Amino acid sequence: MSAAIRFEGVTKRFGALAALQDVTLDVEDGELLVVIGRSGSGKTTLLRCVNALEIPDAGRVVVEGQPISGSDLIALRRRIGYVIQSGGLFAHMTVEQNVGILGRAAGDAPARRAARAAEVLATVGLADFGPRYPGELSGGQRQRVGIARALYADPQIMLLDEPFAALDPVTRMELQDEFKRLRRELRKTMLFVTHDVEEALYLGDRIAVFDGGSLLQLETPAELKQHPATDYIARFLRRREQDMQ
Amino acid sequence: MRRALPAVLIALVVLSFARLHAAPPTIVIASKQDTEGQILAEVFAQLIEARTPYAVERKTNLGGTLLVFQALRSGSVDAYPEYTGTIDATILHGTLSFDGIRAAMEQRYGIFVSDELGFNNTYVLAMKAETARQLGIRRISDLAAHPDLRWGVTPEFLRRSDGLPGLERAYGLGTVDAVDLEKSLAYQALARGAIQVTDAYSTDGQLLRYGFVTLQDDRHFFPGYRALYLVRDGTLRAAPDLRGVLHALAGTIDDRTMTAMNARVDIARESPDEVAAQFLAQRLHVTRARAADSTFSRLMRALLRHIELTFVALLFAVLFGVPLGILAAAHAGAGRAIMKVVGTLQTVPSIALLALMIPLFGIGVLPAVVALVLYGLLPIVANTLAGLRQIPSELLDAAEGIGLSPRQALAWVRLPLALPFILAGVRTSAVIAVGTATIAALIGAGGLGDFILTGLTLNDPATLLLGAVPAALLAIVVDELVYRLGLLVRPRGLDRA
Ligand SMILES: Nc1ncnc2c1ncn2[C@@H]1O[C@H](COP(=O)(O)OP(=O)(O)OP(=O)(O)O)[C@@H](O)[C@H]1O
Ligand SMILES: [Mg+2]
């Protein structure tokens, strides 16, 4: 199996701070790789290196066999679905316009855009929400519209930055279930950021644990549960065990 | 529909330019803002209309000697009334004889100096007729024998060397007992007997109203301010019949006639237009070729012109201001430079900005629009910049991260999100344009300012309000209109977020 995304010794600094430190990591084709770590550990920065919103200071990122270079970043980004941490919906556009914006950029006919937008909105369970504005949606609905927008161009790779953050536990569980179903339908490569261990264990094919910009552990959920290498995970698992008793 | 909008805008721009450049083959007669100048301009204009085939355009509210003379030199104006003393002091900076003035103006500027009209509007001393008769004063030299008289003079006259100090020396008056008083107050004080002597202009209509007498300048101390017309040589070549008109007017207006005409405008509130017509009828047996426009039709023309000035200026302010704001948002360095320039423009007093336009664009609508555009830029540029800056960075990241090109991100995301700010800037700019356009009349652009300036000049509140009230209403209407237009184009989703 070839790597869909390959990080080769990637370092990214903001001034004196190293947000990513010599990260080497392969995301396999069709895999859902969860990136977990405490706040500020570099998860978002890792994601932004894939669609070239950040350019590494050292090392390189290879997407589908092609190293990211300065040329034609726009084409690269359109091949990668991007779900932004806070939703990132455009308030002046309807849900349908938000979802179809890449169709507009690609010059799709309006009818084709509307049809495709309806299709992906149905996929995330928001079939009738096309005419609404983001301001008229709940937080969970907005997050789902963000996912629908990323699905529009049917990208082989998706980057999801805490898509279910800031939701009540029950809604989050519903969305996670829905997402799991969706994932079985669409065999895409996904890089999924969260700081919720439960979510990571539930959704991930493999889990990459980050701390202070470094990759500390890369395991399947089962392995991770067996021998957590970080205090972060270990403490969480201990706590859960206590609860179950 | 959407595709038609750019085409309509371009058509508007082209049309407005075409209008600005359509120079009608007519004689442009100007004057400054004073009553006398306006009457003399009308006299010349009406006689041209009666006796020649040329059409006449009037610009009778221009703001000051240097401004109107600049306009004459640049060709925006063909002729205007002027005084020998003013030409000497302000234009040629010399003390020349009439022939000297005529030769110098011809050589230096290519401007023809007409024969004198007859009267001399210079400084005079005025007294109550009764007092003068009792004391036996007829000439200024008679005042030497009456050092006890109280003088009330304008501040300017009190200090100028060609005013009171020089007069005291020339006539050996010693130091007279003088207080400085504003002109209209001085007249009232003289009428009540609080003072006995004041300075005045020899053709001031107020002298007739109060029945004051003027004292003969028997030692010829005051310089002559003899009225005449200045006409461009080029105009005389293109319109040779003007020579006959000038010839017919030479020597026809003496001091008494001019004073009486000024009084009819300043005191009896007749229009300069009617007064000039009656003078021509009596003196030169000219019947009016063109009926005077009704006040209503003049007001409507002024209003239309005002609206035209405002909207053309606003259109260009938006056309330049929004891209400048975008540029300012894109590069911090360029942004600072742009804001500095645009901000500085705003601090230039509007009257100065208008005056600066004259050497570049002459007078009329074009320089007025340019000045209004420069003036209206700041709110639009500043608000475009502020609107673009307030967009949350995560939305900019979203636009970039999903693969929009910089142009798509600007057109589809950044500008729409900045639009409420930009519209607020356009609204401010529109109201500024309506207000500033009222002084555009000073450089011959017309508009409601013509009524306001005339009202101020003639001290006529009715005429002033005729301009000021519609201007104020127009500001309110334009503000509301731009606001409503804004609601139409404002993205709907922004009201709900
Ligand atoms: N543009 C930037 N300029 C300066 N520092 C930055 C910038 N972006 C991120 N950082 C810093 O880099 C570190 C990693 O940030 P990053 O956003 O990747 O964290 P994260 O793991 O996504 O955190 P969270 O869970 O809170 O979203 C943080 O310390 C952050 O302050
Ligand atoms: Mg993050």
Side-chain angles (χ1 to χ4, degrees), chain A residues 103-152:
Chain A
R104 191 175 172 195
D108 291 353
R112 151 121 190 71
R113 253 189 274 158
R116 175 64 184 157
E119 206 175 339
V120 286
L121 280 172
T123 309
V124 298
L126 293 177
D128 297 326
F129 284 65
R132 294 223 206 164
Y133 282 91
E136 301 165 332
L137 301 181
S138 74
Q141 290 166 338
R142 270 182 237 171
Q143 306 242 16
R144 281 190 278 174
V145 174
I147 293 171
R149 182 170 70 186
L151 287 172
Y152 179 92

Side-chain angles (χ1 to χ4, degrees), chain B residues 61 301-314 346 349-351 353-354 364-376 428-453 467-468 470-472 474-475 478:
Chain B
N61 259 321
R301 258 208 322 272
L303 182 64
L304 283 180
R305 169 58 64 82
H306 207 93
I307 292 170
E308 182 188 351
L309 285 172
T310 303
F311 279 93
V312 173
L314 190 63
Q346 189 85 54
S350 40
I351 181 93
L353 193 62
L354 285 171
V365 171
L366 179 62
V369 165
V370 174
L372 289 179
V373 170
L374 292 178
Y375 232 58
T428 311
S429 184
V431 174
I432 291 179
V434 174
T436 313
T438 55
I439 36 181
L442 280 177
I443 56 172
L448 293 168
D450 259 341
F451 282 83
I452 297 176
L453 290 177
L474 187 62
V478 165

Side-chain angles (χ1 to χ4, degrees), chain A residues 38-45 47-48 85 161-162 193 195:
Chain A
R38 43 169 89 227
S39 185
S41 57
K43 307 180 294 293
T44 295
T45 308
L47 232 59
R48 289 165 62 90
Q85 186 158 358
D161 197 349
E162 304 194 30
V193 168
H195 51 234

Side-chain angles (χ1 to χ4, degrees), chain B residues 51-377:
Chain B
R51 294 212 173 149
T52 74
Y54 317 129
V56 174
E57 190 187 334
R58 295 156 171 81
K59 294 193 182 296
T60 54
N61 259 321
L62 299 188
T65 302
L66 288 178
L67 199 153
V68 63
F69 185 65
Q70 273 292 338
L72 184 71
R73 283 182 66 189
S74 69
S76 325
V77 158
D78 292 306
Y80 81 95
E82 192 49 284
Y83 303 94
T84 52
T86 308
I87 297 174
D88 238 3
T90 311
I91 297 174
L92 297 174
H93 306 290
T95 45
L96 297 171
S97 66
F98 179 78
D99 287 337
I101 286 174
R102 184 173 259 179
M105 292 296 278
E106 192 63 60
Q107 276 168 15
R108 284 196 219 165
Y109 301 116
I111 286 170
F112 175 74
V113 176
S114 82
D115 289 337
E116 292 171 1
L117 295 176
F119 69 92
N120 179 15
N121 181 3
T122 186
Y123 277 124
V124 287
L125 296 183
M127 293 183 71
K128 243 170 128 169
E130 203 185 312
T131 321
R133 200 179 52 245
Q134 281 169 5
L135 299 177
I137 298 171
R138 283 177 39 245
R139 302 167 303 180
I140 297 180
S141 51
D142 296 336
L143 288 171
H146 297 278
D148 51 328
L149 293 180
R150 192 108 212 265
W151 296 43
V153 298
T154 52
E156 191 192 2
F157 187 78
L158 189 64
R159 283 172 200 106
R160 277 174 67 141
S161 63
D162 57 350
L164 189 56
L167 189 78
E168 287 171 336
R169 259 187 319 255
Y171 280 95
L173 299 176
T175 302
V176 303
D177 173 21
V179 291
D180 58 347
L181 282 174
E182 191 265 328
K183 180 143 252 137
S184 59
L185 291 181
Y187 286 154
Q188 288 170 29
L190 189 60
R192 277 190 289 107
I195 57 172
Q196 285 80 46
V197 184
T198 190
D199 64 306
Y201 296 118
S202 48
T203 55
D204 189 341
Q206 302 283 354
L207 295 175
L208 278 187
R209 173 183 179 186
Y210 286 103
F212 297 146
V213 292
T214 59
L215 308 185
Q216 193 198 336
D217 181 14
D218 46 336
R219 294 194 187 154
H220 305 288
F221 169 72
F222 293 121
Y225 281 77
R226 313 189 75 83
L228 43 76
Y229 292 108
L230 296 180
V231 189
R232 292 168 53 79
D233 281 349
T235 307
L236 283 179
R237 275 194 298 277
D241 295 1
L242 290 182
R243 283 189 189 279
V245 174
L246 289 170
H247 191 71
L249 288 172
T252 52
I253 309 176
D254 60 17
D255 283 15
R256 291 233 339 257
T257 310
M258 192 68 239
T259 311
M261 288 200 280
N262 283 335
R264 287 178 53 188
V265 174
D266 284 340
I267 298 159
R269 298 265 175 266
E270 291 179 62
S271 73
D273 180 82
E274 298 160 43
V275 171
Q278 282 201 22
F279 164 78
L280 289 173
Q282 283 165 7
R283 181 71 203 225
L284 295 170
H285 310 292
V286 169
T287 40
R288 194 96 194 254
R290 176 189 70 100
D293 287 345
S294 72
T295 305
F296 180 76
S297 76
R298 283 192 304 128
L299 186 62
M300 282 303 114
R301 258 208 322 272
L303 182 64
L304 283 180
R305 169 58 64 82
H306 207 93
I307 292 170
E308 182 188 351
L309 285 172
T310 303
F311 279 93
V312 173
L314 190 63
L315 183 69
F316 281 99
V318 172
L319 248 35
F320 290 113
V322 173
L324 279 174
I326 293 170
L327 197 67
H331 308 280
R336 272 192 299 277
I338 289 169
M339 287 313 295
K340 186 138 214 149
V341 171
V342 175
T344 307
L345 279 172
Q346 189 85 54
T347 65
V348 176
S350 40
I351 181 93
L353 193 62
L354 285 171
L356 285 175
M357 292 298 121
I358 309 231
L360 299 171
F361 304 106
I363 64 166
V365 171
L366 179 62
V369 165
V370 174
L372 289 179
V373 170
L374 292 178
Y375 232 58
L377 277 180

